[in-house]
Amino acid sequence: MCEFPGGIYALTSETADTEQLLTQVEAALAGGVAAVQYRDKSGDVARRHEQASELVALCHRFGVPLIVNDDLRLADLTDADGVHLGRDDGSLREARIILGKDKFIGASCYQSLELALAAQAAGADYVAFGSFFASPTKPAAPRADLDLLREAAPVIQVSLVAIGGITLANAPQLLDAGADSLAVLSALFDAPDIRAAAHDLNQLFETESEE
């Protein structure tokens, strides 16, 4: 089991423009994000393989892990640093067998502490709760309550990741409630200056560590 890095966890938006994707992620990396998750639900296998491979190389230049969303085979083929699995995306135990002990395995646990406890027992390196706020990416997603993080903190030993509509303004509530990592898409990649947005979000963790 690996310790997932605390900090800003950048979630990529789906695009056919690989050059733009790499430029945006590089800006986020330069701004100090702690991890990147590649998300692409398209059926374009060649594009997904190319983009994931390029992102693995880019992230490794910055010493940051690249996690593949929902696709264990792609994570394995591109030698990514791990995989993130939703409730219906396959077995955490199978992922560990295939990827080995040195890769990260994350699990979406939505609004359920029970799912998080089960994921932890199955060998997940982090569990993700959400959506905590209204998300432009998934506006209809059910909401998680801040109390969920407070309840999880004493019983979940792996990293707690919060997701869903996170901004510079509302992020401190999640950190105060016990989140170790904040998964961010819109507030990062829709910002006019991605590097500056990443830097400002990252500063929240610097402040937290000083308190």
Side-chain angles (χ1 to χ4, degrees), residues 37-41 48 67-72 74 82-86 89 108:
Q37 183 183 126
Y38 173 59
R39 306 173 96 191
D40 188 321
K41 305 285 190 180
R48 284 161 50 80
I67 311 298
V68 171
N69 178 262
D70 289 357
D71 193 331
L72 176 57
L74 183 62
V83 68
H84 180 94
L85 298 174
D89 297 323
S108 291

Side-chain angles (χ1 to χ4, degrees), residues 8 11 39 110-111 128-150 161-179 181-187 201 204:
I8 298 302
L11 310 179
R39 306 173 96 191
Y110 312 100
Q111 302 83 40
F129 293 120
S131 178
F132 282 96
F133 307 104
S135 167
T137 311
K138 295 184 177 180
R143 296 289 178 82
D145 191 274
L146 288 171
D147 284 339
L148 178 59
L149 287 171
R150 298 186 185 103
V161 177
I163 188 170
I166 297 171
T167 65
L168 191 61
N170 61 34
Q173 301 172 54
L174 298 166
L175 296 180
D176 289 345
S181 180
L182 303 179
V184 182
L185 197 162
S186 299
L201 285 161
L204 296 172

Side-chain angles (χ1 to χ4, degrees), residues 81-145:
D81 299 287
V83 68
H84 180 94
L85 298 174
R87 188 162 29 201
D88 305 315
D89 297 323
S91 158
L92 295 174
R93 294 185 192 281
E94 179 190 11
R96 178 62 69 203
I97 291 166
I98 290 172
L99 296 182
K101 63 181 175 61
D102 297 324
K103 298 295 178 82
F104 293 111
I105 296 174
S108 291
C109 298
Y110 312 100
Q111 302 83 40
S112 172
L113 181 56
E114 288 72 26
L115 280 177
L117 288 165
Q120 177 175 257
D125 298 294
Y126 71 84
V127 296
F129 293 120
S131 178
F132 282 96
F133 307 104
S135 167
T137 311
K138 295 184 177 180
R143 296 289 178 82
D145 191 274

Side-chain angles (χ1 to χ4, degrees), residues 3-80:
E3 185 176 352
F4 192 70
I8 298 302
Y9 187 8
L11 310 179
T12 68
S13 51
E14 188 174 314
T15 177
D17 189 336
T18 301
E19 186 175 343
Q20 180 189 53
L21 173 66
L22 293 170
T23 298
Q24 290 181 334
V25 172
E26 185 167 9
L29 290 164
V33 300
V36 177
Q37 183 183 126
Y38 173 59
R39 306 173 96 191
D40 188 321
K41 305 285 190 180
S42 76
D44 191 334
V45 176
R47 181 181 97 194
R48 284 161 50 80
H49 189 277
E50 178 193 9
Q51 290 183 346
S53 299
E54 294 272 8
L55 285 170
V56 168
L58 174 61
C59 288
H60 287 182
R61 276 179 29 215
F62 285 84
V64 167
L66 187 281
I67 311 298
V68 171
N69 178 262
D70 289 357
D71 193 331
L72 176 57
R73 178 173 168 75
L74 183 62
D76 188 34
L77 285 172
T78 57
D79 198 25

